[in-house]
Amino acid sequence: MCLGGWEQEMNPEGLHKISYGLYIVTSGIDKSNGQIANTVFQMTSDPVTIAVCINKQNYTHELIKRTRVFAVSVLSKNAPLKLIGNFGFRSGSAFDKFEGVNYKIGKTGTRIVLDASIAYIETEVIGEVDAGTHTLFMGKVVDSEILSGEEPMTYAYYHDVKRGTTPSSAPTYLKSETVAEGKKMEKYTCSVCGYVYDPEKGDPDSGVKPGTPFEELPDSWVCPVCGATKDQFQKSD
């Protein structure tokens, strides 16, 4: 029997072993918005219901509360960082995240992102649970469709292969989280979102070949996650 276990220091690395995906959650009818989420799961099969966990400070949260609908686009393993950054690191209250994005209007009237999506699920909210900084919204599924046979992107793949970072509003964000540590090289870190440019890997999604030093990136190059310019990068420690 373990006594005083609650007083032992928690190791947050254990939380990283929980499996997550990567999704775009959208809501709104007259005015729509969307955000990146990694906490989406099915609750029941009869009726078919799912749940999403959304930060209360996000504009998408406000729209779900107001319209009582939300949709989930399941992102492909090959989804570009630019699309993820567009919905993950910009405020929809001041920026139209759907500009240049392929989407459809669902049965509930909300927009559903189709770009880089392998499936979508559309719901009507049937309940919610206050989770402190976040709200767990429960939705009854009113429509669902498979769009592609590609593999879904896992959160681990997003971090380890895509080298993506976690928005501070995400339920899995840790203040101690650090971006990819590596060998002593001329790596540069985005001061806005934490993305690390690694010259060994380059930025293939933006046409930058592996082996390209940061100094040789064109002045027009921007952070593939949040769109920050080169002057907003700092040399990594």
Side-chain angles (χ1 to χ4, degrees):
M1 184 172 71
C2 179
L3 297 177
W6 297 110
E7 299 175 0
Q8 297 177 3
E9 184 177 353
M10 180 190 75
N11 183 356
E13 294 297 321
L15 300 174
H16 295 170
K17 303 305 180 183
I18 299 175
S19 296
Y20 299 94
L22 208 66
Y23 315 92
I24 296 178
V25 176
T26 53
S27 186
I29 298 176
D30 296 327
K31 170 69 174 177
S32 297
N33 190 54
Q35 67 162 78
I36 294 295
N38 62 5
T39 309
V40 176
F41 58 93
Q42 183 174 348
M43 298 193 307
T44 62
S45 58
D46 187 17
V48 183
T49 60
I50 66 171
V52 299
C53 195
I54 305 294
N55 191 291
K56 292 177 181 178
Q57 296 182 356
N58 291 358
Y59 184 44
T60 303
H61 183 282
E62 176 185 329
L63 292 177
I64 296 177
K65 292 279 284 187
R66 185 192 309 164
T67 64
R68 311 308 290 172
V69 299
F70 67 84
V72 176
S73 296
V74 183
L75 290 180
S76 157
K77 190 176 183 179
N78 298 314
L81 280 175
K82 183 177 180 181
L83 177 68
I84 298 170
N86 181 57
F87 283 93
F89 290 93
R90 292 189 174 187
S91 172
S93 59
F95 174 79
D96 182 8
K97 297 184 180 184
F98 293 92
E99 184 177 353
V101 174
N102 186 29
Y103 65 87
K104 65 174 285 186
I105 303 297
K107 290 183 177 180
T108 63
T110 197
R111 299 183 189 184
I112 300 171
V113 175
L114 301 179
D115 282 346
S117 299
I118 63 173
Y120 69 80
I121 306 163
E122 189 177 7
T123 78
E124 294 177 343
V125 174
I126 58 173
E128 61 185 74
V129 176
D130 189 321
T133 57
H134 291 65
T135 297
L136 186 71
F137 291 105
M138 296 166 278
K140 180 179 179 181
V141 175
V142 298
D143 194 21
S144 180
E145 187 66 52
I146 297 292
L147 302 174
S148 165
E150 296 180 73
E151 292 184 44
M153 184 183 293
T154 65
Y155 205 54
Y157 185 87
Y158 168 65
H159 272 286
D160 299 339
V161 180
K162 289 284 191 177
R163 307 190 313 283
T165 56
T166 306
S168 59
S169 60
T172 55
Y173 175 78
L174 297 174
K175 289 183 179 179
S176 59
E177 179 178 293
T178 55
V179 290
E181 268 184 61
K183 304 171 184 177
K184 284 287 183 180
M185 294 179 61
E186 296 297 322
K187 297 181 181 180
Y188 283 76
T189 302
C190 177
S191 61
V192 177
C193 72
Y195 168 83
V196 174
Y197 175 77
D198 184 344
E200 279 194 355
K201 298 178 180 179
D203 179 15
D205 287 344
S206 301
V208 178
K209 297 179 180 179
T212 304
F214 182 83
E215 293 79 7
E216 294 182 13
L217 292 174
D219 292 338
S220 59
W221 182 84
V222 296
C223 175
V225 174
C226 70
T229 54
K230 278 185 67 178
D231 60 357
Q232 293 176 285
F233 276 72
Q234 299 175 345
K235 188 177 294 186
S236 303
D237 294 332

